[in-house]
Amino acid sequence: MYLQIADVQHLDGIHLDYIRFPDVILAKGLWKKYNLVMDKEYPQFDYCYCDKCVGDFKAKTGIDIKAVEEPSEVEE
Ligand SMILES: [Zn+2]
């Protein structure tokens, strides 16, 4: 898709908003905006837990992250 967009004549750049590294705890000013409570690290806000990512993580580390009680404490 990026290559298709890059072919657009006179296009100088592409700005990707909200593309970032995992952000376990967002800035407090955004909690109300997104109706979030981020008083500690919650797994759904650190890394992707889709089947592919969980499978790739297990293949690389041997750890089934969905079976771990506190995923945020797993250093890997
Ligand atoms: Zn994923």
Side-chain angles (χ1 to χ4, degrees), residues 26-76:
L26 286 175
K28 202 165 190 174
L30 294 172
W31 296 7
K32 191 174 181 181
K33 177 182 173 82
Y34 295 111
N35 197 26
L36 297 171
V37 174
M38 304 191 99
D39 56 341
K40 67 173 197 162
E41 293 183 7
Y42 292 98
Q44 66 267 39
F45 300 113
D46 59 5
Y47 292 94
C48 181
Y49 287 78
C50 78
D51 291 344
K52 178 171 180 7
C53 291
V54 168
D56 288 352
F57 184 77
K58 186 171 183 181
K60 191 171 186 176
T61 66
I63 298 169
D64 178 0
I65 199 65
K66 286 192 169 181
V68 174
E69 193 169 322
E70 283 293 336
S72 65
E73 294 179 9
V74 175
E75 187 173 330
E76 290 84 353

